[in-house]
Amino acid sequence: VGSEMCIRDRFSNGIFLLGVPIEKIIQILAVLTSTLLIFIWIKKHANFRFKTGLIRVLFVLLLALSLPMSYINWCDWHTLLASIIFNVSLLYLFVFTPKWSSTFLFTFWTIGMPCTFLQLIVSGYFFETVIFKYNSLETQGFFVVGFPLEELMYLFGILLFGVFLFEKFNPGLLSK
């Protein structure tokens, strides 16, 4: 899932699942689990809601910024798939604007901070040891704090889907 990632041999166990390094799958599962735990905590202790109109304006802006990516590099399937997942996620949030939308956005930005710090560490930003790096030939070449833009789009879609499933199947879990 996501952009092509090159893990240095001495840091990889060499196990792949559907062509994806097992380390990447573990990372995605850890981030998804952390996101759900943070989402539950925020929803329980700091449940806040923005005006629906403000959230919809934000989603329209994100949608407008991401649509050109599909057009510019439509032949790259990584970028196209990331853009489709991201845009479908945004359209869902725009059309339905569930009550938990603002909590999800706050959770996404909250989980993004430690993920970004970890990303900078393993990509060699702070130290000389590079554990992995993204293959720049497999991305648009636009990086946001060490992450290819496609990776952030995948992350947004995956985390939204996880929160959506949680809310769908556990609606009364946090009711007071």
Side-chain angles (χ1 to χ4, degrees), residues 39-113:
F39 178 81
I40 291 168
W41 189 91
I42 290 171
K43 188 171 181 179
K44 188 171 183 177
H45 297 289
N47 194 9
F48 59 90
R49 293 193 348 197
F50 296 120
K51 300 278 186 199
T52 304
L54 178 65
I55 290 176
R56 286 190 169 152
V57 167
L58 176 66
F59 294 145
V60 167
L61 287 173
L62 288 172
L63 191 63
L65 290 172
S66 67
L67 282 176
M69 179 181 267
S70 302
Y71 177 74
I72 292 169
N73 204 359
W74 61 270
C75 60
D76 178 9
W77 73 272
H78 284 293
T79 302
L80 182 62
L81 184 60
S83 183
I84 288 170
I85 290 171
F86 185 68
N87 290 323
V88 166
S89 300
L90 288 176
L91 283 173
Y92 170 78
L93 289 172
F94 177 76
V95 171
F96 297 106
T97 316
K99 288 189 262 183
W100 47 265
S101 296
S102 54
T103 304
F104 169 74
L105 287 176
F106 190 76
T107 302
F108 180 73
W109 293 116
T110 302
I111 198 72
M113 287 182 247

Side-chain angles (χ1 to χ4, degrees), residues 6 30 39 81 97 117 130 155 168:
C6 302
F39 178 81
L81 184 60
T97 316
F117 185 70
V130 177
L155 184 64
K168 185 79 170 163

Side-chain angles (χ1 to χ4, degrees), residues 5 9 14-15 30 35 37 40 46-47 63 86 89 102 109 121 148 150 157-158 162-163 170:
M5 182 175 76
D9 290 338
I15 299 173
T35 299
L37 291 173
I40 291 168
N47 194 9
L63 191 63
F86 185 68
S89 300
S102 54
W109 293 116
I121 289 173
E150 297 91 341
I158 289 169
V163 168
N170 297 306

